[in-house]
Amino acid sequence: MALINENFLKLKAGYLFPEIGRRVRAYKQQNPDKKVISLGIGDVTQPLAPAVVEAMKAASDEMGKIETFHGYDDGGTGYEFLRKAIQHGDFQSRGVEIGLDEIFVSDGAKCDTGNLQEIFGIDNVIAVTDPVYPVYVDTNVMAGRTGDADEKGRYGKIVYMPCTAENNFTPVLPKEKVDIVYLCFPNNPTGTVATKEDLKKWVDFARETKAIILFDAAYEAFITDASIPHSIYEIEGAKEVAIEFRSYSKTAGFTGVRCAYTVVPKELIGYTKDGKAVDVNPIWNRRQSTKFNGVSYITQRAAAAIYTPQGQKQIKDIIAIYMNNAKTICKELAALGYTVYGGVNAPYIWMKTPKGVSSWEFFDKLLNGVQLVGTPGAGFGASGEGYFRLTAFGKPEDVKEALARFAKLKV
Ligand SMILES: *Cc1c(COP(=O)(O)O)cnc(C)c1O
């Protein structure tokens, strides 16, 4: 008899995006003549930068010739040309030294953030912000690191750190003992950033309590404020306690190309049950080399092209399109009397729903009233109730039309 992993049965049914899809499909079926505009998607819409496309074409040609063909990427942690570009372009340029053997190239930050928990013991207590990117929680549920979900969808044994307007969407240090802390800045879904002082508090906390921080920096390229750190390693001592995730998905429109990387510093240590210090970097290396065989040569060449002067300019121009959308959304919604957060250093706008209207009620009003789709804040956690997420990833003409419709919405 094949027994299944019953932890999967603890997962809440009707995960956020399938439920949104279901409601949108039902509406379209009943109203086939109406055009629905989505500001709900966490996917990009602009095409790849020309420098990236050229690099992919050139790499394809190389793969077609015996002299320049490439097989497995040795070790599966990324070709050296890409890891060198990362080392210089993302870290040295900000005064941070990261070793080539601390960089692990992968096919996505979703899988990295999801997979990383498996190198840590099952008894670790994890802490997450509420609202949160659901991947951090669900992968720990699957692993058996949590209890069951309550009626609000909060799992036993997880420490939730509420992030609401009252605390400026900034998590406060947990009072209870925690071992692994997930942080995401700039934040999806709230669009909040962490200052150097905010991150220093977390680094100090982790050093004092021997905890590890899993830092998701998937949106660092959207930071416009020069004082905001792009990497947690800009904080002294962070290499002892933090793993950082990066992705080209939003930075360079790679959601359909697939390339990302994770930094696991050599200084980072975990512990055995009897308190012996263990290096984490070789363990992640062992895990990756066993379960993963690397990212395609063509894709890694595409990623390296992002770091060239033309690549940098082109992706910055694309990001500017999205951030201009964000600015317009914030400005016009504020003018309509809505309270909006984020949208300055992140492609997400986190708005308050009108008084007395729940996240899902607001979703239905927008869809049925003016054919707009966004994401109910409650879908990201109990503390997201009363909020609603809009993304800046739409096409500018759709954003314009969406805002005209917002003006017509009656709540
Ligand atoms: C989009 C996103 C990612 C990137 O995932 P990929 O698998 O690299 O496409 C990572 N973290 C968060 C919070 C995201 O929103």
Side-chain angles (χ1 to χ4, degrees):
M1 184 169 72
L3 300 176
I4 60 139
N5 175 352
E6 292 187 29
N7 292 313
F8 278 71
L9 307 180
K10 293 181 193 163
L11 292 166
K12 279 177 295 162
Y15 174 72
L16 180 60
F17 291 99
E19 176 59 20
I20 291 173
R22 198 188 61 73
R23 293 193 193 196
V24 173
R25 272 192 307 280
Y27 178 83
K28 281 182 175 166
Q29 230 157 41
Q30 283 157 20
N31 304 275
D33 53 320
K34 295 256 169 69
K35 188 192 172 211
V36 175
I37 295 180
S38 177
L39 295 181
I41 41 162
D43 198 355
V44 294
T45 52
Q46 293 293 316
L48 292 171
V52 167
V53 175
E54 277 160 35
M56 292 176 95
K57 285 182 180 164
S60 302
D61 286 340
E62 282 184 63
M63 292 295 274
K65 293 193 197 103
I66 196 154
E67 304 81 26
T68 48
F69 171 78
H70 284 79
Y72 287 127
D73 141 16
D74 186 31
T77 61
Y79 288 104
E80 195 168 281
F81 66 80
L82 178 56
R83 285 182 292 126
K84 277 190 167 155
I86 290 167
Q87 180 184 51
H88 181 258
D90 287 340
F91 297 103
Q92 271 168 2
S93 62
R94 301 196 64 83
V96 176
E97 279 307 324
I98 294 290
L100 291 180
D101 50 3
E102 297 177 314
I103 299 167
F104 296 85
V105 174
S106 77
D107 58 353
K110 185 185 209 171
C111 19
D112 284 350
T113 54
N115 291 335
L116 220 126
Q117 49 75 31
E118 78 175 63
I119 65 170
F120 294 112
I122 210 74
D123 296 329
N124 284 304
V125 174
I126 72 153
V128 294
T129 61
D130 174 13
V132 68
Y133 181 56
V135 176
Y136 315 148
V137 172
D138 289 0
T139 53
N140 277 287
V141 174
M142 291 170 183
R145 217 167 271 117
T146 75
D148 291 321
D150 66 13
E151 71 285 353
K152 280 188 160 173
R154 286 183 160 168
Y155 293 94
K157 280 173 67 181
I158 292 186
V159 173
Y160 289 91
M161 305 179 285
C163 292
T164 60
E166 287 68 41
N167 60 14
N168 284 317
F169 306 99
T170 307
V172 290
L173 300 176
K175 291 197 181 62
E176 47 280 81
K177 168 191 147 9
V178 303
D179 307 297
I180 292 173
V181 181
Y182 288 83
L183 294 177
C184 173
F185 291 111
N187 189 258
N188 176 11
T190 67
T192 320
V193 284
T195 62
K196 277 213 164 112
E197 295 70 48
D198 290 333
L199 289 185
K200 184 173 183 318
K201 264 197 304 201
W202 282 104
V203 168
D204 291 346
F205 171 83
R207 291 172 81 180
E208 276 159 31
T209 60
K210 297 184 171 168
I212 286 180
I213 299 167
L214 302 183
F215 189 75
D216 187 343
Y219 295 97
E220 62 77 31
F222 294 82
I223 294 173
T224 55
D225 181 340
S227 71
I228 299 297
H230 287 234
S231 166
I232 194 164
Y233 304 123
E234 290 177 50
I235 312 305
E236 207 190 308
K239 281 201 212 165
E240 292 163 32
V241 291
I243 289 173
E244 181 164 303
F245 304 98
R246 295 281 189 105
S247 170
Y248 302 108
S249 283
K250 321 300 172 9
T251 308
F254 270 45
T255 51
V257 177
R258 312 304 307 145
C259 196
Y261 68 89
T262 290
V263 178
V264 185
K266 288 269 178 76
E267 287 102 310
L268 185 75
I269 48 170
Y271 297 87
T272 62
K273 270 206 177 115
D274 46 19
K276 198 167 121 271
V278 179
D279 290 336
V280 178
N281 173 291
I283 296 183
W284 181 243
N285 192 21
R286 187 71 172 82
R287 189 272 176 207
Q288 285 299 78
S289 57
T290 300
K291 294 196 180 182
F292 185 62
N293 246 341
V295 177
S296 82
Y297 175 72
I298 297 166
T299 297
Q300 294 195 53
R301 280 289 177 201
I306 296 167
Y307 295 93
T308 61
Q310 311 90 292
Q312 281 295 296
K313 167 151 196 333
Q314 292 164 0
I315 66 156
K316 287 197 171 114
D317 288 348
I318 295 167
I319 288 172
I321 295 174
Y322 297 135
M323 292 316 283
N324 198 45
N325 284 342
K327 202 168 161 184
T328 313
I329 295 170
C330 288
K331 198 177 90 199
E332 300 210 6
L333 288 183
L336 290 172
Y338 291 102
T339 307
V340 293
Y341 304 96
V344 178
N345 292 297
Y348 293 111
I349 294 94
W350 189 243
M351 62 184 292
K352 266 205 93 53
T353 57
K355 225 184 170 65
V357 182
S358 77
S359 298
W360 277 106
E361 281 166 0
F362 193 63
F363 175 89
D364 288 332
K365 276 182 201 291
L366 270 180
L367 176 60
N368 297 314
V370 291
Q371 296 78 53
L372 281 183
V373 177
T375 313
F380 297 101
S383 298
E385 181 55 86
Y387 294 91
F388 200 74
R389 190 192 76 172
L390 300 175
T391 84
F393 287 126
K395 300 187 180 97
E397 62 270 26
D398 285 346
V399 170
K400 211 171 139 216
E401 168 67 18
L403 289 165
R405 291 185 186 187
F406 246 110
K408 292 188 206 136
L409 179 71
K410 290 181 199 73
V411 276

